[in-house]
Amino acid sequence: MPPKKAKKSPAKKGATSKTAKVKKIRKAPSATTADKPAKKAGKRKVMTKVATQSVAKTRKAAVKAEPAVGKMVYYFGDGKADGNGNMKDLLGGKGSGLAEMTNTGVPVPPGFTITTDACRLFYENGMKIPKKTEEEIVNHIGKLEKSTGMRFGDKTNPLLVSVRSGAKYSMPGMMDTILNLGLNDETLAGLIKKTENDRFAYDSYRRFIQMFGNVVLGIDKSQFEDILETRKKKQRIKLDTELTVEDLKYIIKKYKALISEKSGEEFPQDPMEQLINARDAVFKSWNNPRAITYRHLNNIPSDLGTAVNVQAMVFGNMGETSATGVGFTRNPSTGEKEFYGEYLTNAQGEDVVAGIRTPKHISNLAKEMPKVYKQLRDITQKLEKHYRDVQDFEFTIQEGKLYLLQTRSGKRTTASAVKIAVDMVKEGLINKKEALMRIEPTQLDQLLHPMIDPSANVNILSKGLAASPGAASGMAVFTADDAVRFAEAGNKVILVRHETNPDDIHGMNAAEGILTSRGGMTSHAAVVARGMGKCCVAGAEDIKVYEVDKKMIIGGTVVKEGDAITLNGSTGEVMAGQVATIAPTLSGEFAVFMKWADEVRRLKIRTNADTPADAAQALEFGAEGIGLCRTEHMFFAPERIPIVQEMILATDEIARREALDKLMPFQKNDFKGIFEVMDGRPVTIRTIDPPLHEFLPDKNVIIEEIAKLKSREVWEDEIKARERILARIDELKEFNPMLGHRGCRLGITYPEITEMQARAIFTAACEVARGRKAKAPVVEIMIPLVGSLNELRHQKEVVIRVAEEVMKKQKVEVQYLIGTMIEVPRGAITADEIATEAEFFSFGTNDLTQMTYGFSRDDSGKFLKVYLDKGILEKDPFVTLDTTGVGYLITIAAEKGKKTRSDLKVGICGEHGGDPDSIHFCHSIGLDYVSASPFRIPIARLAAAQAALGKSDYTQK
């Protein structure tokens, strides 16, 4: 299995020691030397000999016994009975799609796939491929030669190939690709003679050397770009297509010199040596930093590995009748059913996605090459119907002939994903259950992003392409590393680049939005931003970006690093400063989609809400009640905190009660507002939980205030008041406050606090029940941090006594339950006893996780990242529930509790209530509800539906 981090992955900055080592292992006889004794009639035999020698050289140091291996290489379209189209685990998404397209008659250049099994074996076998697999590859090169009528390494009729990655799950741009492999000084001459197109041949060779130098030899791509740009400036040209044959010859010479300087050896001339090194580089790219980051961000397992696809080259850079492009069968930003894509004439594939030239809209192809355009539309529509999903396809047109290079399920924004899913149900392509499975629950968060306030005054600096919707404001930064650095310091950032590349993935993730001056709607920036749910404006060509100087110039305006800018990804506008935003408007399709989710889910979805505004927001998102109302959050309002502090500083019960009497009307009005908003839905209110010292000022602030008061010679009483606070801070100080005097322990020590809160709750409930604004409240009082039956019994008696007093006085009966928050492991273990008094359990998974692991929530950040990086933990247990340990406690507590009380209501109310994997677990053990923050309610609703439909914890479309 590939390790989580590459131990021998190629350097990206031109490390000569690594290069030299690779070259010594991979060294093979050059095509020139091998061909000397051969005549034309024996050319195939010679090429096989070259291949065998190259393979043998790569295995020089490997004298250990070969592991037993099965079939590791599949030709496109072979094994039809094996169902290649469904073999993503083995062939990867790209290889599986190419095999299936071949079998259905789509024009696909022939080729073969080296499986993900081979990748895993490559890592297990010390970065080497078994001899049997090497022989399979050589045999498949022979098969490819027969399919094309060309010869690999032949001087007169050379076969050129592309070498591309292809993992099970789409990872656009994260791994490596090499095009035009097989070119050398001799095959270049053959290509020129065959095509009678000098410029095309030299352009292809230039591209190949650059890709090989970067991907295989680890030389920074910017060093090649510098050579290219310097020549273009000297010749006073803007586009690569304007380079002459002489320019290209000059650039090739400079590229070779750069490789010689950085690697210590000449650019390899043996095609088989090129192929072996390219294949291994693609395998190693599975563990390059950007691929690791992408897998982490998208929850993709690290042990899957990537396949390698070797495919005969077709060329979009053979002149004006040739082109290359990418497209989608529907608009990936809006979901509209429209043919969507871009292309460039006289170009190769990387030109479109890299944003080097701004491409043309695919509709223009209907005018330039109408027959090809119609064929492309027909094929891609058939592919969408075949796969029953939006297709993201790549194509090349070589001298008027169309080839499909890839098809896969298209990355799309969540808004478009919802619309597409609903539309496809209406069209009969999929059913409702399939539609619900099409969207990852966490993606719904994108729909809740803010939009630019239409009434805001804006200063529009530029307008580019609306590449990914939403609005984002932040300080401009010009490198991915700076984006991460500033974001980690608490700043919101906008990443500004000429164009992004896969190495920028970490900066794109850290940024609020992405702005590029080059590239189109299918550029790297646009595709990745849409997948991440990030706002993106691409191809704003009037912006001059100076990444080294960390600034951009738009007309007469200079924006430097740190200056605030705002992006509107829905219109493509770039604005100066921070612009006001408004809450998003959810589409009609979203309501339909969520209604389908509600029809199939079993789990109820509640919210964590402490204010009427939070409660109203949660209801709008579909909450069915409140699962956690934290009463202590209400204490921090400016007009209340002095009263709370008065209560804490009180030296006896009488003084405490006086302070609590002042607080009671505030608490009552808070609860009354919440009950009215919830309109008869259940509301679970937790009595005070945090230790009292949290309501007091910072000790250092008080010390400083005392010193200032003394220096000003103020009244002694004022100084003594501050000194009393300081003394009380010291009295309340605890070495481990999370295990200290908090929760039910406070209520037992100071029952008057619980009394005040119960009186406020039931007075509010009675007033609402008697009024006409809302339905009678359903009140659930939750006692926190219970670890023993007697703790709950004590607090329950207090609540019942006060409730009966209030209802008798108010002459109103209110429906209520008294339960507990299970967050202490002992509480879970003795749940059968606790259930004799508790009418419901709500698992406080944050504290339960903390106490089960022995991890301090406040301090674990110092080591949790290390644990995750080193694979000690698979996931952060404070984000995704630990089902083996913490989950086991929840399971036995629920089972024990229900044995004692069959009608016991059981749910969770920690942060895990909005995590899809945790929701799957809650469904599987039969909990009744989960409670999440308001903006996680749609996520929880969909996750609960998918759990009911049997979706596994990890899926990705």
Side-chain angles (χ1 to χ4, degrees):
M1 309 284 261
K4 286 195 175 181
K5 287 194 175 181
K7 294 181 179 177
K8 299 184 179 180
S9 58
K12 288 295 173 191
K13 298 291 182 185
T16 56
S17 60
K18 189 277 311 179
T19 304
K21 184 176 180 182
V22 170
K23 296 293 286 180
K24 285 176 184 175
I25 293 173
R26 302 299 187 198
K27 184 70 175 175
S30 69
T32 307
T33 306
D35 275 347
K36 277 185 181 176
K39 304 291 182 186
K40 279 189 178 181
K43 190 79 54 107
R44 173 67 194 128
K45 188 174 181 180
V46 170
M47 287 313 302
T48 304
K49 181 180 177 183
V50 171
T52 305
Q53 287 175 336
S54 297
V55 170
K57 286 284 185 180
T58 66
R59 303 186 47 77
K60 209 171 183 181
V63 293
K64 296 180 182 177
E66 289 283 355
V69 295
K71 183 176 176 63
M72 295 281 179
V73 186
Y74 286 77
Y75 204 71
F76 295 169
D78 273 1
K80 194 170 184 179
D82 296 335
N84 278 351
N86 298 316
M87 294 174 69
K88 287 186 178 182
D89 285 340
L90 185 65
L91 303 179
K94 185 173 293 182
S96 174
L98 288 166
E100 191 158 2
M101 283 197 293
T102 299
N103 285 330
T104 56
V106 173
V108 173
F112 57 87
T113 300
I114 307 168
T115 65
T116 56
D117 284 348
C119 179
R120 288 189 285 271
L121 198 57
F122 174 78
Y123 280 95
E124 292 168 5
N125 200 34
M127 305 290 185
K128 298 181 182 69
I129 288 293
K131 185 177 180 179
K132 182 180 177 182
T133 304
E134 300 277 21
E135 291 169 350
E136 268 194 280
I137 293 169
V138 171
N139 291 337
H140 277 77
I141 285 288
K143 193 169 183 178
L144 188 55
E145 289 176 332
K146 289 179 182 177
S147 295
T148 61
M150 295 180 278
R151 302 289 188 185
F152 194 49
D154 191 86
K155 297 178 185 177
T156 57
N157 190 22
L159 168 66
L160 306 184
V161 298
S162 63
V163 181
R164 302 173 188 260
S165 62
K168 177 180 180 179
Y169 299 110
S170 175
M171 296 172 57
M174 296 303 111
M175 291 179 289
D176 290 326
T177 292
I178 297 175
L179 305 180
N180 308 326
L181 189 144
L183 276 173
N184 58 29
D185 294 347
E186 292 188 342
T187 57
L188 173 66
L191 189 63
I192 292 171
K193 185 175 180 180
K194 178 183 176 182
T195 62
E196 297 181 349
N197 189 334
D198 292 32
R199 195 200 173 281
F200 151 71
Y202 279 105
D203 183 51
S204 299
Y205 197 21
R206 182 268 301 179
R207 293 168 183 269
F208 172 49
I209 295 171
Q210 179 172 345
M211 284 185 162
F212 192 92
N214 172 236
V215 172
V216 176
L217 303 179
I219 301 169
D220 195 290
K221 66 184 76 174
S222 66
Q223 297 187 55
F224 293 100
E225 289 293 338
D226 287 345
I227 293 171
L228 183 68
E229 292 301 318
T230 300
R231 185 65 177 185
K232 284 161 66 176
K233 285 179 182 177
K234 183 179 179 182
Q235 300 299 86
R236 296 181 179 179
I237 58 178
K238 182 179 179 182
L239 302 176
D240 296 357
T241 51
E242 297 174 290
L243 292 166
T244 65
V245 171
E246 292 305 312
D247 292 328
L248 293 167
K249 286 180 180 178
Y250 172 84
I251 291 167
I252 288 168
K253 183 179 178 181
K254 286 288 188 180
Y255 279 5
K256 286 182 176 180
L258 176 64
I259 286 173
S260 178
E261 175 193 345
K262 296 295 180 182
S263 70
E265 297 194 29
E266 300 303 312
F267 177 76
Q269 294 289 307
D270 175 18
M272 189 58 71
E273 179 188 346
Q274 296 171 356
L275 178 60
I276 291 166
N277 279 294
R279 174 203 66 201
D280 290 357
V282 172
F283 278 152
K284 290 176 183 178
S285 72
W286 173 253
N287 274 327
N288 68 36
R290 62 179 183 264
I292 292 170
T293 298
Y294 188 88
R295 289 200 299 273
H296 175 71
L297 294 175
N298 292 277
N299 199 26
I300 297 174
S302 61
D303 59 358
L304 298 178
T306 182
V308 175
N309 296 287
V310 179
Q311 188 173 22
M313 281 295 303
V314 288
F315 300 97
N317 59 330
M318 292 187 72
E320 294 306 309
T321 60
S322 300
T324 189
V326 295
F328 294 80
T329 52
R330 303 189 188 212
N331 189 314
S333 289
T334 66
E336 294 296 331
K337 191 174 182 180
E338 61 180 357
F339 200 46
Y340 181 98
E342 296 171 324
Y343 72 102
L344 287 168
T345 51
N346 196 20
Q348 286 200 318
E350 75 273 15
D351 296 342
V352 178
V353 295
I356 294 169
R357 289 162 56 191
T358 300
K360 306 172 188 177
H361 192 275
I362 202 164
S363 59
N364 290 341
L365 189 63
K367 301 173 185 176
E368 293 188 4
M369 305 179 199
K371 289 184 180 179
V372 172
Y373 176 79
K374 183 178 183 304
Q375 184 188 11
L376 180 62
R377 288 215 60 171
D378 290 344
I379 290 172
T380 53
Q381 285 174 0
K382 287 176 183 176
L383 288 172
E384 182 180 272
K385 287 181 181 177
H386 177 78
Y387 288 105
R388 299 184 309 126
D389 197 7
V390 177
Q391 294 302 290
D392 167 6
F393 55 88
E394 296 179 16
F395 65 94
T396 288
I397 303 163
Q398 178 176 305
E399 296 183 315
K401 184 173 182 180
L402 175 67
Y403 296 91
L404 269 289
L405 306 182
Q406 173 173 288
T407 192
R408 60 187 175 192
S409 292
K411 296 285 184 184
R412 64 206 87 165
T413 65
T414 304
S416 68
V418 170
K419 177 172 173 52
I420 289 166
V422 172
D423 286 350
M424 285 191 167
V425 170
K426 292 176 181 177
E427 294 165 22
L429 281 177
I430 59 176
N431 60 40
K432 292 179 183 179
K433 292 181 179 179
E434 288 175 300
L436 290 171
M437 295 298 199
R438 287 283 170 94
I439 297 170
E440 287 301 305
T442 52
Q443 288 180 281
L444 295 180
D445 187 47
Q446 294 179 26
L447 297 179
L448 312 178
H449 287 182
M451 303 182 296
I452 297 294
D453 185 344
S455 64
N457 292 321
V458 298
N459 175 14
I460 298 174
L461 300 175
S462 178
K463 187 168 183 180
L465 300 172
S468 185
S473 295
M475 58 182 284
V477 297
F478 295 87
T479 71
D481 290 342
D482 284 340
V484 172
R485 179 166 59 88
F486 283 111
E488 287 179 347
N491 298 290
K492 292 186 175 182
V493 302
I494 303 294
L495 179 60
V496 182
R497 305 284 280 156
H498 284 302
E499 71 268 353
T500 61
N501 62 63
D503 291 329
D504 291 328
I505 183 70
H506 57 304
M508 297 176 76
N509 180 59
E512 301 294 312
I514 297 107
L515 169 63
T516 68
S517 62
R518 298 195 295 208
M521 297 292 280
T522 55
S523 64
H524 176 268
V527 171
V528 174
R530 283 195 293 268
M532 286 182 164
K534 301 277 184 180
C535 169
C536 178
V537 174
E541 294 189 334
D542 57 342
I543 297 177
K544 306 299 179 187
V545 178
Y546 300 88
E547 292 170 356
V548 174
D549 297 328
K550 298 186 178 182
K551 67 179 182 181
M552 63 177 175
I553 298 176
I554 313 164
T557 302
V558 178
V559 177
K560 298 178 181 177
E561 181 180 83
D563 292 346
I565 59 172
T566 297
L567 306 181
N568 187 340
S570 303
T571 63
E573 291 171 333
V574 182
M575 293 157 277
Q578 184 166 340
V579 179
T581 58
I582 58 172
T585 302
L586 298 176
S587 68
E589 285 90 359
F590 175 78
V592 170
F593 184 81
M594 295 311 298
K595 182 183 176 184
W596 294 345
D598 294 339
E599 288 170 358
V600 299
R601 65 179 167 87
R602 180 189 62 77
L603 279 171
K604 298 293 184 182
I605 309 298
R606 297 192 185 186
T607 189
N608 305 333
D610 309 326
T611 66
D614 286 346
Q617 181 68 78
L619 287 181
E620 187 179 330
F621 289 144
E624 297 166 298
I626 291 179
L628 175 61
C629 177
R630 307 170 184 89
T631 55
E632 67 274 0
H633 283 194
M634 304 167 180
F635 291 168
F636 285 100
E639 71 277 11
R640 306 180 194 189
I641 196 68
I643 304 173
V644 176
Q645 291 174 358
E646 179 186 337
M647 181 267 292
I648 295 170
L649 293 172
T651 56
D652 56 47
E653 182 180 334
I654 294 173
R656 269 194 302 277
R657 286 187 179 276
E658 287 178 356
L660 288 167
D661 286 344
K662 295 177 187 176
L663 270 180
M664 191 274 193
F666 289 113
Q667 286 255 281
K668 186 204 76 169
N669 289 332
D670 290 330
F671 297 134
K672 189 174 179 181
I674 289 171
F675 289 146
E676 287 175 346
V677 168
M678 295 309 292
D679 196 26
R681 297 175 181 86
V683 178
T684 304
I685 301 171
R686 183 181 71 185
T687 54
I688 189 168
D689 183 46
L692 294 179
H693 74 83
E694 289 193 7
F695 301 102
L696 293 176
D698 181 82
K699 180 178 179 179
N700 292 326
V701 172
I702 298 299
I703 291 172
E704 189 176 329
E705 286 180 1
I706 292 171
K708 287 180 179 178
L709 290 171
K710 286 181 177 179
S711 69
R712 299 201 322 249
E713 298 183 357
V714 299
W715 289 101
E716 188 69 19
D717 287 350
E718 196 171 346
I719 294 173
K720 285 184 176 179
R722 290 288 186 275
E723 287 177 339
R724 281 198 302 273
I725 294 175
L726 184 61
R728 191 64 170 140
I729 290 171
D730 287 334
E731 287 173 17
L732 293 174
K733 181 181 178 182
E734 295 177 304
F735 288 106
N736 194 340
M738 295 308 292
L739 298 179
H741 196 192
R742 53 173 287 229
C744 66
R745 299 161 196 171
L746 274 176
I748 291 168
T749 308
Y750 307 118
E752 55 271 21
I753 297 178
T754 305
E755 286 180 21
M756 182 278 289
Q757 293 197 301
R759 184 163 281 105
I761 292 167
F762 285 101
T763 302
C766 288
E767 289 182 5
V768 172
R770 194 171 50 236
R772 296 182 178 180
K773 283 188 177 181
K775 295 177 184 175
V778 177
V779 182
E780 299 174 353
I781 308 293
M782 181 163 65
I783 310 301
L785 216 71
V786 167
S788 71
L789 174 60
N790 286 336
E791 288 176 319
L792 176 60
R793 184 174 285 155
H794 178 281
Q795 290 290 279
K796 182 177 179 181
E797 288 173 357
V798 174
V799 173
I800 290 175
R801 174 171 53 81
V802 174
E804 297 303 320
E805 288 174 8
V806 172
M807 289 190 291
K808 184 177 180 180
K809 182 179 178 181
Q810 296 281 341
K811 298 180 181 180
V812 176
E813 287 290 325
V814 173
Q815 179 185 347
Y816 74 95
L817 300 174
I818 299 175
T820 185
M821 201 168 187
I822 301 288
E823 48 195 330
V824 177
R826 191 183 188 281
I829 294 167
T830 61
D832 49 346
E833 293 180 7
I834 291 174
T836 60
E837 294 288 347
E839 295 170 291
F840 66 88
F841 286 170
S842 181
F843 292 95
T845 52
N846 300 336
D847 273 349
L848 188 58
T849 296
Q850 175 174 240
M851 295 189 198
T852 303
Y853 267 103
F855 289 169
S856 165
R857 273 194 289 164
D858 297 325
D859 301 312
S860 59
K862 297 173 183 175
F863 60 84
L864 269 182
K865 186 176 185 302
V866 177
Y867 270 42
L868 294 169
D869 289 344
K870 293 189 174 182
I872 305 298
L873 291 174
E874 188 176 332
K875 295 180 179 178
D876 184 336
F878 292 109
V879 174
T880 297
L881 196 66
D882 161 42
T883 57
T884 306
V886 179
Y888 177 70
L889 288 176
I890 294 173
T891 303
I892 62 172
E895 290 174 352
K896 283 187 167 195
K898 291 207 172 191
K899 280 183 182 177
T900 299
R901 187 185 291 269
S902 60
D903 61 347
L904 186 76
K905 192 181 327 184
V906 186
I908 69 168
C909 61
E911 287 302 310
H912 300 98
D915 172 66
D917 286 353
S918 304
I919 292 168
H920 279 259
F921 174 76
C922 293
H923 171 88
S924 71
I925 64 170
L927 297 193
D928 299 304
Y929 70 90
V930 298
S931 187
S933 60
F935 284 87
R936 304 284 288 180
I937 295 299
I939 294 170
R941 290 166 67 192
L942 179 56
Q946 292 180 347
L949 292 172
K951 187 174 185 181
S952 62
D953 288 349
Y954 177 78
T955 55
Q956 181 178 323
K957 288 290 178 184

